[in-house]
Amino acid sequence: MKKSTKTLFNIIAVSIILAILIFLEMNKRKFSYDISIIERSMIYAVAAVAMNLTNGFTGLFSLGQAGFMAIGAYTVALLTIPVEARAGVFYVTGMNEFLSKIELPFIPALLLGGLFAAILAGLIGIPVLRLKSDYLAIATLGFSEIIRSIIASPQLNMITNGSYGLKKIPRFSSIFVPIALCCLCILIIVLLINSSYGRAFKAIREDETAAEAMGINLFKHKLTSFMISSFFTGVAGGLLASYMGTIDSGTFKITLTYDILLIVVLGGMGSVTGSILGSFLVTAGREWLRFFDQPLKVGNWQVPLFRTGFRMVVFSVLLMVVVLFYSKGLMGSKEFSWEGLVRFFKNLFTRKQKLNGGVSNGK
Amino acid sequence: MSLATFLQHCLTGISLGGAYALIAIGYTMVYGILRLINFAHGDLFMIAGYLMIFTLADFPWYIAIPIVLIGTVVIGIVIERLAYKPLRSAPRMSIMISAIGVSLLLQNLATYLFTALPRGYPEIPYLKRIFQFGTLSASFVTFLTPILTMVLVFLMVMMINKTKIGMAMRAVSKDYETAEIMGIKINSVVSFTFAIGSLLAAIGSILYFTDRMSVNPFSGSLPGLKCFVAAVLGGIGSIPGAMIGGFILGIGETFLVALGFSTFSDAFTFILLIVMLLVKPTGLFGEKATEKV
Amino acid sequence: MGNNVLRLEHCTMQFGGVVAVDNFSMEVNEHEIVALIGPNGAGKTTAFNFVTGVYEPTNGKVFFHDELMVANHPAGKMKKLYKGDPDQICEKIVRKTPDQITKLGIARTFQNIRLFKALTVFENVLIAKHMHAKSGLLKTAMHLNYREEIQMRKEAMELLEMQNLAAYRNDIASSLPYGQQRHLEIARALATNPTLLLLDEPAAGMNPQETDELAAFIKKTKEDFNLTVFLIEHHMDLVMGISDRIYVLDFGKMIAHGLPADIQNNDRVIQAYLGVEENA
Ligand SMILES: Nc1ncnc2c1ncn2[C@@H]1O[C@H](COP(=O)(O)OP(=O)(O)O)[C@@H](O)[C@H]1O
Ligand SMILES: [Mg+2]
């Protein structure tokens, strides 16, 4: 495919997406459900691409997504809930004197959320990444649980509103705000991955000993990757807070981390476009799979299995199936390309022909 | 805190630590051999809890206990065969993700089958009988746990050092490839490791849940994480280390709760992990191994 | 002692009770090609590993351009286990990580090729240029370092051309034929701009013709890049053909050293090494 054709395709694709977004924005009321799915998918995509940076590109196994998102979300929420509304939100114990007067615009609050997440990542990463990055998974998982229990603890009622959660977080004024921010975040990560640092990360993933022999300081680069990833995970959390309007410690359970892990694995470790694709599939899939949780009757016959909790069983089986049988996920470590798309459809077509007993082009 | 309460808490802590130790051994052995953090180990422990609830409903305890032990061992081996074995030559992260998948599956399956509400753990005769030593009083299980743990650890250490299969396990954990070349049947060693780990998790589950009195689908996840930390504290790969790590966590946690810091008792575990990695990354009993290049 | 690039003094390396390298002293002078030979398991690779910071020697000193680069003495449990020369305990402790040593100017290849398998041939070499980059993280991540990036790419490309690998530049490293993978590993090592190049069995798995070509190539590379070369090799023709001096290890101990002609006729060496080779 020629470069100019590709550019043309890109322009067409972007225009179509923009047109759809403008259409949705103009008919906000009617399509609020679809808009919310798109927004959530994009926010998850940021978290997934950030996870891919450590897990897919650097080969570090971090499982602290829920915790870092909680940090970002609570930072954004506490700093952006309008001062007037705060007494109502902290109706039980009141808000900490000092904090209750600080209000920031959304973007600075978001950056601060990311920054706090990155700093915490540094505190975990410095001891853990220095020697055995094996333990990063456990340390981050544990950290994530601790953050949640600390947020919910009554001792912090005046700051996090304990188990009551936070409400009245200002929502996005338009679908373009979250989409633009998410695209920007993903773009920055992509630029990083394609830079000299990104190559060093990949070298570490491929072979730590060889990377070190190439003069790459393992600790420094692992820490860099982990902190940047956590920064964007925090930002994704901040976006999630504004998207949901209401958050509590339950929002950031381990299952959130596993959702994002599923997205990354499904999309393909080491593929950014895979993560984005995975994010839309998983987010939308969760909605479609809702019917699994409802009792289902065909005529008079009560279909077995369908009741509360079945969806999550299906979900975990899906994760296992992908890991065991399609370990490359949708994209492997490749990125989306128009050639790839054309090839995909060609293959699909020829395979269908073969299945239909049509003329196969092999013999 | 009077001396009597202090001793009482010590006893509770040692007992909790004993149960932790038994789970930690499963982590330490599997990590030693496959370099895999078996995220599903804690959930296996939870499943063993449910297994006991259902078997004890139909059978007397002396039949129920063997059923639970064997059942858990079988589940543990099956998990290894289905979810880990196919990935043995895949990147290490894949097998860990598979472990997470199993963990999620067990939790979700338990939620689906038994609902998320806690179920009462049945009383196993004798275990709950109260004993009185001067001012100290505790149920039989509280005394039994640490003693049983130490006996089991002693047997394990003997097995690792004195038997043929133990030698094979040590060989595989030292150098997987060479062990394979030397004709050690890796598959049987791995299965055996999982069997022992599951057996100890099942015993741990009986001791732990008898004290806690209820099981829910998530009862295994946090204790699981903690026990891995216990294994790291003691030095991953070392069985006595896992025991000491378990005791440290159990006692520390009990005292934090007693002092009113229950929210932070979980945090304590992970802060301990971080501190340990800073001070002595190989753990208390771990030996520095140089990876062959 | 003068003008040597690398000098080992009383180096011992133990793994628990196993003495892999025993009280080994040696030196490599500027512009020499020095070979380290010995039967399998003699401790050759181990010596490379503690010179490059992958392992920490149990005892001894390593000098690079006459500066103390690595030094250690037995500590903790090792005090009891130590089986090296008790009179040669080194007092100092100097540690360096492998990346620091690479930055000092020592590059190496590995006995069991360690390429970045899933990356392209070009990327493999380009990665070695990363450590010389001066731009900071932010500048690099935002691609504002294009001048530097272009320079890095140019240098990497030149290296590939020199190794006749340019045609493979976009191929995945693991898809290359075995011999080419060895060449790529050398190209990658050269990309770090070393003054001392360590080659661990570069001719392993090559046929006689390829081995001859490799010998010529090593000599040429040494001249072109103004290098000092220290290599481990089993192919005696190659070793005898290009080495200025040879050290022989057996069970960790140095049993001989000298000019190729002397080594060839040394009884102990023939017993320990050549004998084994002939029987095998
Ligand atoms: N990381 C390690 N741990 C334990 N033993 C090792 C390690 N590396 C090397 N050895 C042992 O050291 C000895 C020398 O090995 P090596 O240096 O690889 O030999 P050579 O390269 O001369 O064939 C061997 O007995 C080997 O098993
Ligand atoms: Mg060798």
Side-chain angles (χ1 to χ4, degrees), chain B residues 290-292, chain C residues 15 20 39-46 55:
Chain B
T290 324
E291 209 175 311
K292 209 166 179 174
Chain C
F15 299 100
N40 271 325
K44 307 177 297 293
T45 301
T46 304
Y55 294 164

Side-chain angles (χ1 to χ4, degrees), chain B residues 174-175 289-293, chain C residues 13-16 18-21 37-49 55 111 200-201 232 234 249 252:
Chain B
K174 269 259 151 55
D175 191 333
T290 324
E291 209 175 311
K292 209 166 179 174
V293 167
Chain C
M13 173 97 220
Q14 285 183 223
F15 299 100
V18 179
V19 189
V21 175
I37 64 171
N40 271 325
K44 307 177 297 293
T45 301
T46 304
F48 266 27
N49 279 338
Y55 294 164
Q111 182 175 348
D200 196 343
E201 301 197 18
I232 296 173
H234 283 303
L249 280 182

Side-chain angles (χ1 to χ4, degrees), chain A residues 138-161:
Chain A
I138 285 290
T140 47
L141 207 56
F143 149 80
S144 180
E145 279 296 293
I146 294 168
I147 286 292
R148 205 165 65 84
S149 70
I150 289 179
I151 284 175
S153 75
Q155 283 97 327
L156 289 184
N157 268 351
M158 309 258 293
I159 297 172
T160 63
N161 211 17

Side-chain angles (χ1 to χ4, degrees), chain B residues 254-267:
Chain B
T254 309
F255 273 97
L256 279 176
V257 173
L259 296 171
F261 295 109
S262 52
T263 326
F264 300 103
S265 72
D266 297 340

Side-chain angles (χ1 to χ4, degrees), chain A residues 8-57:
Chain A
L8 186 70
F9 274 13
N10 285 337
I11 292 172
I12 294 174
V14 170
S15 322
I16 292 175
I17 292 171
L18 267 180
I20 294 173
L21 290 179
I22 291 170
F23 174 74
L24 288 174
E25 176 71 17
M26 291 199 308
N27 300 285
K28 249 185 200 169
R29 287 260 159 68
K30 208 164 145 205
F31 293 105
S32 66
Y33 180 66
D34 307 74
I35 290 177
S36 90
I37 288 184
I38 292 175
E39 288 181 350
R40 185 185 275 271
S41 301
M42 280 308 283
I43 294 169
Y44 276 30
V46 173
V49 173
M51 186 181 207
N52 220 333
L53 176 62
T54 48
N55 296 37
F57 287 96

